[in-house]
C-alpha cells in the first residue's frame, strides 16, 4: 500500500463516510483530497476544432499555461484532419511535446518529444510569451469530415 506525506492511499473503509449531520467525515475528506491532488496534474482530455488553411497563427482555445503557477507542461495530442470527396485526405498525427518556461527571457519553449506520426497533419504549433498556444495549418483538399485536435496537458 502506498503512503504519501503520511497519508495512506487505502480508503478508510472502517470509518463512516458521513457523520450524523450528513457531512463527509475527516478521514474520508483527507482520502478524497489526496486522490484529487494525485489525479489533477494528469489533466483532462479536451478537444479543439482546427480550421483549414490558416497562415496566421490561431489560438488553441483552452491550451494555455500560466508561468505564475507552471514551469513545465507535457502535452499529449492527436490531430485528425480527414476530408471526403474529390482529393480526399486523411492526415493523422499523434505526438507529445513539452512546454518549458524560461524565467530569464520570460518566454516559453516548445520541445517536441520523439517523432509524431503516423503522418504529418500540416499543423505547426507556436506559443506566445504569455503561454497561449497557437497553430497554423496547411490547405487540404476535399470536404472536411473531421478536423480536430484532442489533447491532455499535465503540469509541473
Amino acid at each position: 500500500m502506498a503512503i504519501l506525506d503520511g497519508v495512506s492511499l487505502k480508503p478508510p473503509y472502517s470509518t463512516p463516510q458521513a457523520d450524523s449531520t450528513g457531512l463527509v467525515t475527516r478521514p474520508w475528506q483527507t482520502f478524497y483530497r489526496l486522490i484529487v491532488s494525485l489525479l489533477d496534474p494528469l489533466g483532462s482530455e479536451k478537444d479543439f476544432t482546427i480550421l483549414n488553411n490558416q497562415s496566421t497563427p490561431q489560438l488553441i482555445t483552452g491550451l494555455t499555461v500560466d508561468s505564475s503557477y507552471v514551469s513545465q507542461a507535457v502535452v499529449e495530442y492527436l490531430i485528425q484532419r480527414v476530408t471526403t470527396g474529390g482529393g480526399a485526405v486523411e492526415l493523422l498525427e499523434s505526438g507529445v511535446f513539452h512546454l518549458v518556461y524560461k524565467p530569464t527571457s520570460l518566454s516559453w519553449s516548445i520541445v517536441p518529444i520523439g517523432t509524431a506520426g503516423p503522418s504529418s497533419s500540416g499543423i505547426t504549433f507556436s506559443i506566445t510569451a504569455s503561454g497561449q498556444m497557437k497553430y497554423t495549418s496547411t490547405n487540404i483538399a476535399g470536404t472536411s469530415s473531421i478536423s480536430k485536435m484532442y489533447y491532455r496537458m499535465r503540469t509541473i
Side-chain angles (χ1 to χ4, degrees):
M1 168 183 339
I3 296 178
L4 182 65
D5 293 331
V7 180
S8 169
L9 286 175
K10 181 179 176 188
Y13 291 125
S14 61
T15 305
Q17 282 190 333
D19 62 19
S20 59
T21 64
L23 298 175
V24 177
T25 60
R26 177 68 63 190
W28 280 98
Q29 285 179 25
T30 302
F31 175 73
Y32 291 137
R33 285 185 179 135
L34 176 62
I35 296 301
V36 168
S37 73
L38 292 172
L39 295 178
D40 192 46
L42 295 178
S44 58
E45 184 180 303
K46 298 178 182 175
D47 65 86
F48 176 78
T49 300
I50 294 172
L51 301 175
N52 190 34
N53 198 25
Q54 297 299 302
S55 57
T56 303
Q58 302 294 308
L59 298 179
I60 301 175
T61 306
L63 191 47
T64 305
V65 283
D66 182 346
S67 63
S68 301
Y69 306 101
V70 175
S71 295
Q72 184 219 349
V74 177
V75 179
E76 300 166 292
Y77 69 92
L78 168 66
I79 296 172
Q80 296 175 309
R81 296 180 75 198
V82 180
T83 61
T84 59
V89 177
E90 180 180 58
L91 301 176
L92 304 171
E93 181 178 322
S94 177
V96 178
F97 58 83
H98 288 192
L99 302 174
V100 181
Y101 186 67
K102 300 187 294 186
T104 302
S105 61
L106 303 174
S107 63
W108 287 91
S109 286
I110 300 173
V111 182
I113 305 301
T115 303
S119 55
S120 173
S121 64
I123 300 298
T124 302
F125 295 111
S126 60
I127 188 167
T128 66
S130 63
Q132 173 65 60
M133 288 291 299
K134 294 183 173 189
Y135 75 96
T136 57
S137 63
T138 58
N139 189 28
I140 57 175
T143 303
S144 181
S145 172
I146 303 172
S147 190
K148 288 270 193 181
M149 175 182 174
Y150 302 90
Y151 65 91
R152 176 186 320 265
M153 181 170 61
R154 296 177 283 137
T155 62
I156 296 177

